[in-house]
Amino acid sequence: MSFPEGFLWGASTSAYQVEGAAYEDGKKASQQDIINKDSYEKFGFATAEVASDMYHHYKEDVALMKEMGFKAYRFSIAWSRVLPDGVGEVNEKGMQFYKDLIDELVKNDIEPIITLYHYDLPWALCEKYNGWLDRQVVDDFMVFTKLIVDEFKDKIKYWTVINEQSIIVQYWTQKCYIPEEVLSDNQKRYQINHHMNLANALATIYIHENVPGAMVGAALGYSPIYPLTSNSLDVMAMQNAQALRNDYYTDVYFKGYYNKAAHIYLEQHGLAPIMEEGDLELIADPRAIHDFLALNNYASECAKWCGEDEKEIAWSGVNRSGKKGDISGFETHPGFYEMCKNPKLDTTDWDWAIDPQGMEYMLRDLYNRYNKPLMITENGLGAYDILTEDRKVHDEYRIDFLKKNIQAVERAIDKGVEVLAYCPWSYCDLLSTSNGVKKRYGFVYIDRTDDDPKQCERIRKDSFYWYQKCIQSNGKELD
Ligand code: BG6
């Protein structure tokens, strides 16, 4: 069977991680401009001010995508570029940027796959009411959604509404503005998620009702979870972790309700979101059910049993240094599960388990359970690339990672899973959400450092040429 005709080969990015021009042509700050300014001061990671400067290089970028043979490009729209104050006056110049980008893609036969929200809430809404913490954001998100859908409904078929709700819950301070006084209140993580579910449901209904033939989904950060051992308690821990970390999101998208085991756990621990009358009915509305799932998969995770007397650790730490093993603690929920390192797998320098086989397992498991088409909208290897004196980047480790993942996607397709697209992370190097620009993912090298944006010159890496051949042969030529 292998990759079908019309398979959407491409790659992904997100607005604030590539565009730059953070305060140009009427754009105002998003929460990511503020969060990344703080990360620059604390850790020396680049700000979002220039990023990969795609705002000024988009034509060259689409030409490079075309040269690689892309059939699709997944990217997000910066809410603060089109509505600088979150609501109110439209910034025509900002809107024009997306019109031009989408026209350029369509002209080059590259299918635009849109993400409406990728971590970058307008800062004005954080100042006004603390952003996603306040239910008002749901109505404001709809103002933005209607604007974008009405503008682009004739050009866009694939819509992903919110990027990585599960990751926003886990790593909320990197992905959202969270005021000091709320930091220790873990219930608020699930409150934010509930607001996102309402926004997602309303946006999905709006797209279904206004865009004939549209396919709507979520881009979910998803890692399959394995038990540390075959001991049945570890297997139960794996099931509990799967419920709270994964099914809690996918059940909403496809079944229209919160996963029961996860929700009961949250209620028992005072973490469940506060809901209003009609919320559960809205989530269950058949028009709010998704048509496909877009998966952002980088790694697999591992869980083990954890006794009632262990200490609660709300979430696993983040490796900021890029030195293997430099991760502070694993998420621990006494009597439910504890996340741990998988001793069978090697990791990246940032401690992400390298597990291409997990890709096949994830695709088959999700397709069996929900029977909906799947897309890969992120998958990739963050690494320290070296630009040689003759201005080449020999990233054979990335080629090896992507090759094994593509083979895993192919095995899943061969077992009957419907996969629509493979759009790894990322088209070009960009600003990482947790580690600056020195952690690179792209097929195209961006010549800049965390301290110095230079000219952001584009340089084709070895993986660029390799992916070009892969696409030309519809996934057959991988060596
Ligand atoms: C996903 C996000 O979580 O992972 C991207 O959707 C992000 O925005 C990617 O860049 C890789 O994570 P990081 O922290 O290495 O940038």
Side-chain angles (χ1 to χ4, degrees), residues 14 16-17 74 118-119 163-164 167 174-175 221 296 298 350 352 378 382 425 430-436 439 441:
S14 91
Y16 85 90
Q17 296 181 269
R74 179 242 173 179
H118 199 121
Y119 306 152
N163 185 66
E164 298 200 342
I167 301 298
Q174 282 161 256
K175 320 293 175 186
N296 299 347
Y298 292 85
W350 290 267
W352 297 25
E378 291 184 33
W425 195 254
L430 40 69
L431 175 61
S432 146
T433 62
S434 44
N435 303 99
K439 182 193 206 181
Y441 286 95

PDB file of all heavy atoms in Angstrom, residues 14 16-17 74 118-119 163-164 167 174-175 221 296 298 350 352 378 382 425 430-436 439 441, ligand 1:
ATOM      1  N   SER A  14       5.520  27.744  13.340  1.00  0.00           N
ATOM      2  CA  SER A  14       4.438  28.546  13.945  1.00  0.00           C
ATOM      3  C   SER A  14       4.842  30.015  13.852  1.00  0.00           C
ATOM      4  O   SER A  14       6.035  30.343  13.774  1.00  0.00           O
ATOM      5  CB  SER A  14       4.199  28.160  15.403  1.00  0.00           C
ATOM      6  OG  SER A  14       4.985  28.940  16.276  1.00  0.00           O
ATOM      7  N   TYR A  16       5.040  32.924  15.756  1.00  0.00           N
ATOM      8  CA  TYR A  16       6.027  33.695  16.526  1.00  0.00           C
ATOM      9  C   TYR A  16       7.408  33.046  16.489  1.00  0.00           C
ATOM     10  O   TYR A  16       8.418  33.712  16.744  1.00  0.00           O
ATOM     11  CB  TYR A  16       5.557  33.884  17.984  1.00  0.00           C
ATOM     12  CG  TYR A  16       5.901  32.742  18.912  1.00  0.00           C
ATOM     13  CD1 TYR A  16       7.111  32.729  19.612  1.00  0.00           C
ATOM     14  CD2 TYR A  16       5.041  31.677  19.101  1.00  0.00           C
ATOM     15  CE1 TYR A  16       7.435  31.691  20.479  1.00  0.00           C
ATOM     16  CE2 TYR A  16       5.350  30.634  19.955  1.00  0.00           C
ATOM     17  CZ  TYR A  16       6.555  30.648  20.641  1.00  0.00           C
ATOM     18  OH  TYR A  16       6.878  29.624  21.481  1.00  0.00           O
ATOM     19  N   GLN A  17       7.486  31.757  16.138  1.00  0.00           N
ATOM     20  CA  GLN A  17       8.778  31.083  16.133  1.00  0.00           C
ATOM     21  C   GLN A  17       9.582  31.349  14.857  1.00  0.00           C
ATOM     22  O   GLN A  17      10.775  31.097  14.827  1.00  0.00           O
ATOM     23  CB  GLN A  17       8.574  29.579  16.349  1.00  0.00           C
ATOM     24  CG  GLN A  17       7.981  29.274  17.717  1.00  0.00           C
ATOM     25  CD  GLN A  17       7.795  27.790  17.970  1.00  0.00           C
ATOM     26  OE1 GLN A  17       6.741  27.234  17.685  1.00  0.00           O
ATOM     27  NE2 GLN A  17       8.817  27.144  18.494  1.00  0.00           N
ATOM     28  N   ARG A  74       2.346  23.661   6.969  1.00  0.00           N
ATOM     29  CA  ARG A  74       1.504  23.949   8.124  1.00  0.00           C
ATOM     30  C   ARG A  74       2.121  25.096   8.928  1.00  0.00           C
ATOM     31  O   ARG A  74       3.294  25.044   9.296  1.00  0.00           O
ATOM     32  CB  ARG A  74       1.386  22.689   8.989  1.00  0.00           C
ATOM     33  CG  ARG A  74       0.546  22.875  10.228  1.00  0.00           C
ATOM     34  CD  ARG A  74       1.387  22.650  11.461  1.00  0.00           C
ATOM     35  NE  ARG A  74       0.664  22.983  12.678  1.00  0.00           N
ATOM     36  CZ  ARG A  74       1.178  22.850  13.886  1.00  0.00           C
ATOM     37  NH1 ARG A  74       2.390  22.346  14.043  1.00  0.00           N
ATOM     38  NH2 ARG A  74       0.507  23.220  14.926  1.00  0.00           N
ATOM     39  N   HIS A 118      -1.340  29.230  18.164  1.00  0.00           N
ATOM     40  CA  HIS A 118      -0.116  28.512  18.536  1.00  0.00           C
ATOM     41  C   HIS A 118       0.614  29.314  19.621  1.00  0.00           C
ATOM     42  O   HIS A 118       1.612  29.978  19.369  1.00  0.00           O
ATOM     43  CB  HIS A 118       0.769  28.319  17.301  1.00  0.00           C
ATOM     44  CG  HIS A 118       1.805  27.236  17.450  1.00  0.00           C
ATOM     45  ND1 HIS A 118       1.876  26.132  16.618  1.00  0.00           N
ATOM     46  CD2 HIS A 118       2.816  27.086  18.329  1.00  0.00           C
ATOM     47  CE1 HIS A 118       2.890  25.364  16.971  1.00  0.00           C
ATOM     48  NE2 HIS A 118       3.496  25.921  18.017  1.00  0.00           N
ATOM     49  N   TYR A 119       0.085  29.292  20.801  1.00  0.00           N
ATOM     50  CA  TYR A 119       0.699  29.863  22.019  1.00  0.00           C
ATOM     51  C   TYR A 119       0.784  31.395  22.097  1.00  0.00           C
ATOM     52  O   TYR A 119       1.319  31.912  23.075  1.00  0.00           O
ATOM     53  CB  TYR A 119       2.138  29.375  22.217  1.00  0.00           C
ATOM     54  CG  TYR A 119       2.373  27.889  22.229  1.00  0.00           C
ATOM     55  CD1 TYR A 119       3.603  27.370  21.828  1.00  0.00           C
ATOM     56  CD2 TYR A 119       1.412  27.001  22.687  1.00  0.00           C
ATOM     57  CE1 TYR A 119       3.867  26.011  21.858  1.00  0.00           C
ATOM     58  CE2 TYR A 119       1.668  25.636  22.722  1.00  0.00           C
ATOM     59  CZ  TYR A 119       2.896  25.150  22.299  1.00  0.00           C
ATOM     60  OH  TYR A 119       3.168  23.808  22.333  1.00  0.00           O
ATOM     61  N   ASN A 163      -3.128  24.651  19.035  1.00  0.00           N
ATOM     62  CA  ASN A 163      -1.935  23.815  19.098  1.00  0.00           C
ATOM     63  C   ASN A 163      -1.663  23.328  20.518  1.00  0.00           C
ATOM     64  O   ASN A 163      -1.558  24.132  21.451  1.00  0.00           O
ATOM     65  CB  ASN A 163      -0.708  24.607  18.615  1.00  0.00           C
ATOM     66  CG  ASN A 163       0.533  23.730  18.542  1.00  0.00           C
ATOM     67  OD1 ASN A 163       0.599  22.800  17.742  1.00  0.00           O
ATOM     68  ND2 ASN A 163       1.513  23.995  19.392  1.00  0.00           N
ATOM     69  N   GLU A 164      -1.600  22.018  20.682  1.00  0.00           N
ATOM     70  CA  GLU A 164      -1.053  21.352  21.874  1.00  0.00           C
ATOM     71  C   GLU A 164      -1.661  21.756  23.216  1.00  0.00           C
ATOM     72  O   GLU A 164      -0.945  22.233  24.111  1.00  0.00           O
ATOM     73  CB  GLU A 164       0.459  21.539  21.907  1.00  0.00           C
ATOM     74  CG  GLU A 164       1.142  20.903  20.719  1.00  0.00           C
ATOM     75  CD  GLU A 164       2.616  20.646  20.938  1.00  0.00           C
ATOM     76  OE1 GLU A 164       3.214  21.242  21.839  1.00  0.00           O
ATOM     77  OE2 GLU A 164       3.171  19.823  20.191  1.00  0.00           O
ATOM     78  N   ILE A 167       0.152  20.087  26.086  1.00  0.00           N
ATOM     79  CA  ILE A 167       1.473  20.639  26.431  1.00  0.00           C
ATOM     80  C   ILE A 167       1.293  21.983  27.144  1.00  0.00           C
ATOM     81  O   ILE A 167       2.076  22.339  28.031  1.00  0.00           O
ATOM     82  CB  ILE A 167       2.342  20.784  25.153  1.00  0.00           C
ATOM     83  CG1 ILE A 167       2.510  19.425  24.467  1.00  0.00           C
ATOM     84  CG2 ILE A 167       3.696  21.399  25.465  1.00  0.00           C
ATOM     85  CD1 ILE A 167       3.217  18.355  25.276  1.00  0.00           C
ATOM     86  N   GLN A 174       5.650  28.390  29.982  1.00  0.00           N
ATOM     87  CA  GLN A 174       6.336  28.656  28.715  1.00  0.00           C
ATOM     88  C   GLN A 174       5.338  28.985  27.605  1.00  0.00           C
ATOM     89  O   GLN A 174       5.675  29.626  26.639  1.00  0.00           O
ATOM     90  CB  GLN A 174       7.102  27.418  28.265  1.00  0.00           C
ATOM     91  CG  GLN A 174       8.403  27.198  28.994  1.00  0.00           C
ATOM     92  CD  GLN A 174       8.812  25.756  28.823  1.00  0.00           C
ATOM     93  OE1 GLN A 174       8.681  24.944  29.725  1.00  0.00           O
ATOM     94  NE2 GLN A 174       9.275  25.418  27.628  1.00  0.00           N
ATOM     95  N   LYS A 175       4.140  28.447  27.747  1.00  0.00           N
ATOM     96  CA  LYS A 175       3.180  28.561  26.642  1.00  0.00           C
ATOM     97  C   LYS A 175       2.136  29.648  26.880  1.00  0.00           C
ATOM     98  O   LYS A 175       1.414  30.018  25.959  1.00  0.00           O
ATOM     99  CB  LYS A 175       2.444  27.229  26.432  1.00  0.00           C
ATOM    100  CG  LYS A 175       3.306  25.993  26.555  1.00  0.00           C
ATOM    101  CD  LYS A 175       4.349  25.869  25.461  1.00  0.00           C
ATOM    102  CE  LYS A 175       5.249  24.672  25.714  1.00  0.00           C
ATOM    103  NZ  LYS A 175       6.343  24.536  24.809  1.00  0.00           N
ATOM    104  N   GLY A 221      -0.039  17.752  20.982  1.00  0.00           N
ATOM    105  CA  GLY A 221       1.269  17.217  21.373  1.00  0.00           C
ATOM    106  C   GLY A 221       1.014  15.841  21.965  1.00  0.00           C
ATOM    107  O   GLY A 221       0.328  15.724  22.978  1.00  0.00           O
ATOM    108  N   ASN A 296       1.533  16.057  16.895  1.00  0.00           N
ATOM    109  CA  ASN A 296       2.888  16.562  17.061  1.00  0.00           C
ATOM    110  C   ASN A 296       3.620  15.543  17.932  1.00  0.00           C
ATOM    111  O   ASN A 296       3.397  15.472  19.144  1.00  0.00           O
ATOM    112  CB  ASN A 296       2.878  17.926  17.750  1.00  0.00           C
ATOM    113  CG  ASN A 296       2.121  18.973  16.950  1.00  0.00           C
ATOM    114  OD1 ASN A 296       1.808  18.766  15.786  1.00  0.00           O
ATOM    115  ND2 ASN A 296       1.834  20.111  17.569  1.00  0.00           N
ATOM    116  N   TYR A 298       7.238  13.768  19.055  1.00  0.00           N
ATOM    117  CA  TYR A 298       8.707  13.823  19.095  1.00  0.00           C
ATOM    118  C   TYR A 298       9.319  12.639  19.814  1.00  0.00           C
ATOM    119  O   TYR A 298      10.468  12.301  19.603  1.00  0.00           O
ATOM    120  CB  TYR A 298       9.163  15.092  19.833  1.00  0.00           C
ATOM    121  CG  TYR A 298       8.840  16.356  19.088  1.00  0.00           C
ATOM    122  CD1 TYR A 298       7.592  16.953  19.209  1.00  0.00           C
ATOM    123  CD2 TYR A 298       9.774  16.939  18.243  1.00  0.00           C
ATOM    124  CE1 TYR A 298       7.287  18.112  18.510  1.00  0.00           C
ATOM    125  CE2 TYR A 298       9.475  18.092  17.537  1.00  0.00           C
ATOM    126  CZ  TYR A 298       8.231  18.685  17.670  1.00  0.00           C
ATOM    127  OH  TYR A 298       7.929  19.819  16.971  1.00  0.00           O
ATOM    128  N   TRP A 350      18.443  17.167  24.994  1.00  0.00           N
ATOM    129  CA  TRP A 350      17.469  17.822  25.880  1.00  0.00           C
ATOM    130  C   TRP A 350      16.574  16.788  26.578  1.00  0.00           C
ATOM    131  O   TRP A 350      15.476  17.102  27.037  1.00  0.00           O
ATOM    132  CB  TRP A 350      16.642  18.838  25.080  1.00  0.00           C
ATOM    133  CG  TRP A 350      17.466  20.028  24.665  1.00  0.00           C
ATOM    134  CD1 TRP A 350      17.590  21.201  25.343  1.00  0.00           C
ATOM    135  CD2 TRP A 350      18.293  20.160  23.504  1.00  0.00           C
ATOM    136  NE1 TRP A 350      18.442  22.044  24.686  1.00  0.00           N
ATOM    137  CE2 TRP A 350      18.891  21.439  23.550  1.00  0.00           C
ATOM    138  CE3 TRP A 350      18.600  19.323  22.431  1.00  0.00           C
ATOM    139  CZ2 TRP A 350      19.768  21.895  22.565  1.00  0.00           C
ATOM    140  CZ3 TRP A 350      19.476  19.784  21.449  1.00  0.00           C
ATOM    141  CH2 TRP A 350      20.048  21.054  21.518  1.00  0.00           C
ATOM    142  N   TRP A 352      14.823  14.183  25.387  1.00  0.00           N
ATOM    143  CA  TRP A 352      13.601  13.678  24.752  1.00  0.00           C
ATOM    144  C   TRP A 352      13.923  12.289  24.200  1.00  0.00           C
ATOM    145  O   TRP A 352      14.862  12.139  23.403  1.00  0.00           O
ATOM    146  CB  TRP A 352      13.151  14.592  23.605  1.00  0.00           C
ATOM    147  CG  TRP A 352      12.768  15.988  24.027  1.00  0.00           C
ATOM    148  CD1 TRP A 352      13.199  16.653  25.140  1.00  0.00           C
ATOM    149  CD2 TRP A 352      11.896  16.898  23.350  1.00  0.00           C
ATOM    150  NE1 TRP A 352      12.638  17.916  25.191  1.00  0.00           N
ATOM    151  CE2 TRP A 352      11.841  18.100  24.104  1.00  0.00           C
ATOM    152  CE3 TRP A 352      11.150  16.823  22.169  1.00  0.00           C
ATOM    153  CZ2 TRP A 352      11.080  19.198  23.726  1.00  0.00           C
ATOM    154  CZ3 TRP A 352      10.391  17.924  21.788  1.00  0.00           C
ATOM    155  CH2 TRP A 352      10.345  19.090  22.558  1.00  0.00           C
ATOM    156  N   GLU A 378       3.896  17.627  13.415  1.00  0.00           N
ATOM    157  CA  GLU A 378       5.233  17.895  13.959  1.00  0.00           C
ATOM    158  C   GLU A 378       5.887  16.563  14.279  1.00  0.00           C
ATOM    159  O   GLU A 378       5.224  15.632  14.741  1.00  0.00           O
ATOM    160  CB  GLU A 378       5.180  18.760  15.232  1.00  0.00           C
ATOM    161  CG  GLU A 378       4.745  20.186  14.984  1.00  0.00           C
ATOM    162  CD  GLU A 378       4.776  21.064  16.233  1.00  0.00           C
ATOM    163  OE1 GLU A 378       5.649  20.848  17.097  1.00  0.00           O
ATOM    164  OE2 GLU A 378       3.925  21.959  16.331  1.00  0.00           O
ATOM    165  N   GLY A 382      15.600  17.891  17.639  1.00  0.00           N
ATOM    166  CA  GLY A 382      16.293  19.109  18.033  1.00  0.00           C
ATOM    167  C   GLY A 382      17.765  18.769  18.236  1.00  0.00           C
ATOM    168  O   GLY A 382      18.086  17.825  18.963  1.00  0.00           O
ATOM    169  N   TRP A 425       8.713  18.942  11.964  1.00  0.00           N
ATOM    170  CA  TRP A 425       9.183  20.187  12.540  1.00  0.00           C
ATOM    171  C   TRP A 425      10.654  20.251  12.285  1.00  0.00           C
ATOM    172  O   TRP A 425      11.368  19.393  12.781  1.00  0.00           O
ATOM    173  CB  TRP A 425       8.893  20.158  14.049  1.00  0.00           C
ATOM    174  CG  TRP A 425       8.987  21.482  14.759  1.00  0.00           C
ATOM    175  CD1 TRP A 425       9.980  21.879  15.597  1.00  0.00           C
ATOM    176  CD2 TRP A 425       8.015  22.526  14.733  1.00  0.00           C
ATOM    177  NE1 TRP A 425       9.699  23.118  16.084  1.00  0.00           N
ATOM    178  CE2 TRP A 425       8.494  23.543  15.565  1.00  0.00           C
ATOM    179  CE3 TRP A 425       6.808  22.720  14.067  1.00  0.00           C
ATOM    180  CZ2 TRP A 425       7.811  24.733  15.766  1.00  0.00           C
ATOM    181  CZ3 TRP A 425       6.129  23.888  14.281  1.00  0.00           C
ATOM    182  CH2 TRP A 425       6.627  24.891  15.126  1.00  0.00           C
ATOM    183  N   LEU A 430      14.290  27.643  13.867  1.00  0.00           N
ATOM    184  CA  LEU A 430      13.399  28.656  14.435  1.00  0.00           C
ATOM    185  C   LEU A 430      13.647  28.785  15.934  1.00  0.00           C
ATOM    186  O   LEU A 430      14.512  28.104  16.497  1.00  0.00           O
ATOM    187  CB  LEU A 430      11.932  28.294  14.124  1.00  0.00           C
ATOM    188  CG  LEU A 430      11.497  26.825  14.219  1.00  0.00           C
ATOM    189  CD1 LEU A 430      11.505  26.344  15.646  1.00  0.00           C
ATOM    190  CD2 LEU A 430      10.127  26.632  13.609  1.00  0.00           C
ATOM    191  N   LEU A 431      12.870  29.636  16.541  1.00  0.00           N
ATOM    192  CA  LEU A 431      13.002  29.859  17.977  1.00  0.00           C
ATOM    193  C   LEU A 431      12.297  28.729  18.722  1.00  0.00           C
ATOM    194  O   LEU A 431      11.073  28.601  18.628  1.00  0.00           O
ATOM    195  CB  LEU A 431      12.365  31.217  18.331  1.00  0.00           C
ATOM    196  CG  LEU A 431      12.299  31.576  19.807  1.00  0.00           C
ATOM    197  CD1 LEU A 431      13.688  31.654  20.425  1.00  0.00           C
ATOM    198  CD2 LEU A 431      11.564  32.904  19.983  1.00  0.00           C
ATOM    199  N   SER A 432      13.068  27.904  19.429  1.00  0.00           N
ATOM    200  CA  SER A 432      12.463  26.806  20.185  1.00  0.00           C
ATOM    201  C   SER A 432      11.618  27.375  21.320  1.00  0.00           C
ATOM    202  O   SER A 432      11.864  28.487  21.799  1.00  0.00           O
ATOM    203  CB  SER A 432      13.591  25.928  20.731  1.00  0.00           C
ATOM    204  OG  SER A 432      13.259  25.383  21.975  1.00  0.00           O
ATOM    205  N   THR A 433      10.594  26.616  21.743  1.00  0.00           N
ATOM    206  CA  THR A 433       9.753  27.128  22.826  1.00  0.00           C
ATOM    207  C   THR A 433      10.472  27.079  24.172  1.00  0.00           C
ATOM    208  O   THR A 433      10.079  27.760  25.095  1.00  0.00           O
ATOM    209  CB  THR A 433       8.439  26.320  22.960  1.00  0.00           C
ATOM    210  OG1 THR A 433       8.766  24.969  23.293  1.00  0.00           O
ATOM    211  CG2 THR A 433       7.631  26.359  21.689  1.00  0.00           C
ATOM    212  N   SER A 434      11.520  26.258  24.268  1.00  0.00           N
ATOM    213  CA  SER A 434      12.161  26.135  25.573  1.00  0.00           C
ATOM    214  C   SER A 434      13.666  26.304  25.567  1.00  0.00           C
ATOM    215  O   SER A 434      14.272  26.347  26.634  1.00  0.00           O
ATOM    216  CB  SER A 434      11.825  24.757  26.176  1.00  0.00           C
ATOM    217  OG  SER A 434      11.946  23.765  25.194  1.00  0.00           O
ATOM    218  N   ASN A 435      14.281  26.404  24.380  1.00  0.00           N
ATOM    219  CA  ASN A 435      15.742  26.390  24.371  1.00  0.00           C
ATOM    220  C   ASN A 435      16.410  27.341  23.382  1.00  0.00           C
ATOM    221  O   ASN A 435      17.524  27.072  22.912  1.00  0.00           O
ATOM    222  CB  ASN A 435      16.244  24.960  24.118  1.00  0.00           C
ATOM    223  CG  ASN A 435      15.722  23.966  25.148  1.00  0.00           C
ATOM    224  OD1 ASN A 435      14.772  23.261  24.907  1.00  0.00           O
ATOM    225  ND2 ASN A 435      16.325  23.934  26.324  1.00  0.00           N
ATOM    226  N   GLY A 436      15.756  28.409  23.014  1.00  0.00           N
ATOM    227  CA  GLY A 436      16.398  29.384  22.134  1.00  0.00           C
ATOM    228  C   GLY A 436      16.581  28.886  20.714  1.00  0.00           C
ATOM    229  O   GLY A 436      15.910  27.941  20.289  1.00  0.00           O
ATOM    230  N   LYS A 439      18.990  25.192  19.582  1.00  0.00           N
ATOM    231  CA  LYS A 439      18.397  23.867  19.360  1.00  0.00           C
ATOM    232  C   LYS A 439      17.691  23.959  18.004  1.00  0.00           C
ATOM    233  O   LYS A 439      16.712  24.665  17.849  1.00  0.00           O
ATOM    234  CB  LYS A 439      17.392  23.605  20.469  1.00  0.00           C
ATOM    235  CG  LYS A 439      16.703  22.255  20.447  1.00  0.00           C
ATOM    236  CD  LYS A 439      15.534  22.321  21.423  1.00  0.00           C
ATOM    237  CE  LYS A 439      15.138  21.005  21.991  1.00  0.00           C
ATOM    238  NZ  LYS A 439      13.984  21.160  22.911  1.00  0.00           N
ATOM    239  N   TYR A 441      15.988  22.465  14.334  1.00  0.00           N
ATOM    240  CA  TYR A 441      15.118  21.401  13.810  1.00  0.00           C
ATOM    241  C   TYR A 441      14.996  21.400  12.289  1.00  0.00           C
ATOM    242  O   TYR A 441      14.440  20.487  11.715  1.00  0.00           O
ATOM    243  CB  TYR A 441      13.691  21.597  14.338  1.00  0.00           C
ATOM    244  CG  TYR A 441      13.445  21.241  15.792  1.00  0.00           C
ATOM    245  CD1 TYR A 441      13.489  22.205  16.792  1.00  0.00           C
ATOM    246  CD2 TYR A 441      13.130  19.932  16.160  1.00  0.00           C
ATOM    247  CE1 TYR A 441      13.227  21.884  18.116  1.00  0.00           C
ATOM    248  CE2 TYR A 441      12.865  19.601  17.485  1.00  0.00           C
ATOM    249  CZ  TYR A 441      12.913  20.589  18.458  1.00  0.00           C
ATOM    250  OH  TYR A 441      12.643  20.262  19.772  1.00  0.00           O
TER     251      TYR A 441
HETATM  252  C1  BG6 B   1       5.860  21.495  20.014  1.00  0.00           C
HETATM  253  C2  BG6 B   1       5.413  22.875  19.640  1.00  0.00           C
HETATM  254  O1  BG6 B   1       5.574  21.348  21.359  1.00  0.00           O
HETATM  255  O2  BG6 B   1       7.205  21.206  20.016  1.00  0.00           O
HETATM  256  C3  BG6 B   1       6.427  23.710  18.899  1.00  0.00           C
HETATM  257  O3  BG6 B   1       4.182  22.853  18.950  1.00  0.00           O
HETATM  258  C4  BG6 B   1       7.802  23.468  19.482  1.00  0.00           C
HETATM  259  O4  BG6 B   1       6.021  25.039  18.978  1.00  0.00           O
HETATM  260  C5  BG6 B   1       8.143  22.001  19.305  1.00  0.00           C
HETATM  261  O5  BG6 B   1       8.790  24.274  18.935  1.00  0.00           O
HETATM  262  C6  BG6 B   1       9.522  21.615  19.811  1.00  0.00           C
HETATM  263  O6  BG6 B   1       9.682  22.012  21.138  1.00  0.00           O
HETATM  264  P1  BG6 B   1      10.881  22.938  21.581  1.00  0.00           P
HETATM  265  O7  BG6 B   1      10.651  23.254  23.004  1.00  0.00           O
HETATM  266  O8  BG6 B   1      12.114  22.169  21.342  1.00  0.00           O
HETATM  267  O9  BG6 B   1      10.794  24.145  20.721  1.00  0.00           O
END
